[in-house]
Amino acid sequence: MLDIDEIKRALHDRVLLTVSEHTGINRNTIALIKSGEAKNPSHRTMKALSDYLAPVHPSVSATKP
């Protein structure tokens, strides 16, 4: 599972509405995480975002540049 900093980095170029639709996490919650205002998101939120973002996040991708 990605940590909060990895999730923030992975969200930097994402359309939050799209992430919300794919994860079931409220767009406002994702925006708070992205901005760093959400310091302690729930395990469920972290897992859902990790599952969605991990396949393309450079730190966990099998093919690194």
Side-chain angles (χ1 to χ4, degrees):
M1 185 162 67
L2 301 176
D3 66 30
I4 190 77
D5 292 325
E6 290 171 324
I7 289 173
K8 283 172 35 179
R9 283 192 301 273
L11 287 171
H12 86 279
D13 63 348
R14 299 299 178 118
V15 176
L16 300 186
L17 183 58
T18 302
V19 175
S20 176
E21 290 171 350
H22 283 91
T23 63
I25 305 300
N26 184 284
R27 188 197 65 78
N28 292 329
T29 300
I30 298 169
L32 290 171
I33 292 169
K34 181 179 177 178
S35 71
E37 293 179 57
K39 303 293 184 197
N40 192 21
S42 72
H43 179 76
R44 177 190 154 320
T45 296
M46 294 290 290
K47 174 131 177 56
L49 290 171
S50 291
D51 290 348
Y52 178 72
L53 297 167
V56 294
H57 189 271
S59 72
V60 294
S61 175
T63 58
K64 292 186 179 183

